[in-house]
Amino acid sequence: MERRPRRNRKTATIRKMVEETKIGVEHLIYPIFLKDGSGIKEEIPSLPNNYRWSIDTLLKEVESCVNLGIMTFDMFPAVDESLKDSIASYSYSEDNFYLKAISKLKQEFPEIVLMSDVAMDPYSSDGHDGLVADGKILNDETLPILNKMALAQAQAGIDIIGPSDMMDGRVAAIRNHLDENGYSEVSIMSYSAKYASAFYGPFRDALNSAPKYGDKKTYQMNPANKREALLEAELDYLEGADMLMVKPALCYLDIIHVLKENFNIPITAYNVSGECAMIYAAAEKGWVNYNHAISEILISMRRAGADAILTYFAKDFATLIKE
Ligand code: PBG
């Protein structure tokens, strides 16, 4: 035999030397859930190891993440039902605890990068990402609300805005609105290829944000489609997005790959809550090895082309690679 590929695998040192894909803590973005109040560290039953934090407990948590090298966080608010309405007005209210938390975190940890979510669902009494009328999700009427939400986050000190709503034209609308108000340095990481997925369940539990009726299929993408992802990505690119995201990640590695091949801006992958929950559940039963499984999953996303990965495994993985 002239070709014996096993020779390049014969020792750990050789394997490491010829390793094609690298992953480090610098590639991770940690999604965290926030709740109003103090002293709160509330478990999310369908997402073990993840919690709803109040700002005081979150400051300590962020510090321990920073000590592990995790420097980028994506924050999501769990909003009390009584504050929700059809126009998501709490999202840009001066009293919003989430906006205050952004300012506080940036003040305490100026070196971290904070990302936010722009969509109506955590604040909407309908549980939809856009404005609802007669059971329909309105597109153009939603844009001014997203603009207000994004501007309020920019004013609070956010580094990266993450529009996750899938309305047409939102990236251009938000970009223009931010620029007109003097926030041209705030980045946009667009949820470009966001699919109507079964894997958002634990996230919606964490925020109590599931749609009150219907589903999200008129705005989130059909899992069967790949060329449509290129169209969505192209629009977001042309509208000024700085980074393009694929979500979920695990069932959509081909989409990450095709976006990476076609766009010369960073591509990110969102390893969503249901994907992580599956691993937690299987590991709990002893059916997979947790550390081995999360390492393999995260490297597969990097191999597919993800520059950065949003993952609930961030802290566990950072701990693992530090050991
Ligand atoms: C809000 C939003 C969702 C997620 C991120 N932003 C839920 C949804 O679209 O229903 C899901 C993230 C996850 O499951 O980890 N639009």
Side-chain angles (χ1 to χ4, degrees), residues 33 76 117-119 121-122 129 164-165 191 194 199-204 209 211 216 220 247 270-274 312:
F33 301 108
F76 299 94
D117 202 66
V118 168
D121 53 338
D129 294 20
S164 73
D165 54 285
Y191 288 64
K194 177 171 179 178
F199 296 103
Y200 305 150
F203 175 97
R204 294 176 187 171
S209 64
K216 298 194 175 185
Q220 298 179 351
K247 173 187 176 184
Y270 199 143
N271 178 205
V272 299
S273 58
Y312 302 93

Side-chain angles (χ1 to χ4, degrees), residues 34-53:
L34 221 66
K35 202 179 157 166
D36 199 9
S38 66
I40 300 169
K41 179 183 180 181
E42 222 170 66
E43 252 180 76
I44 301 156
S46 52
L47 198 59
N49 292 5
N50 287 268
Y51 303 88
R52 294 182 202 95
W53 306 92

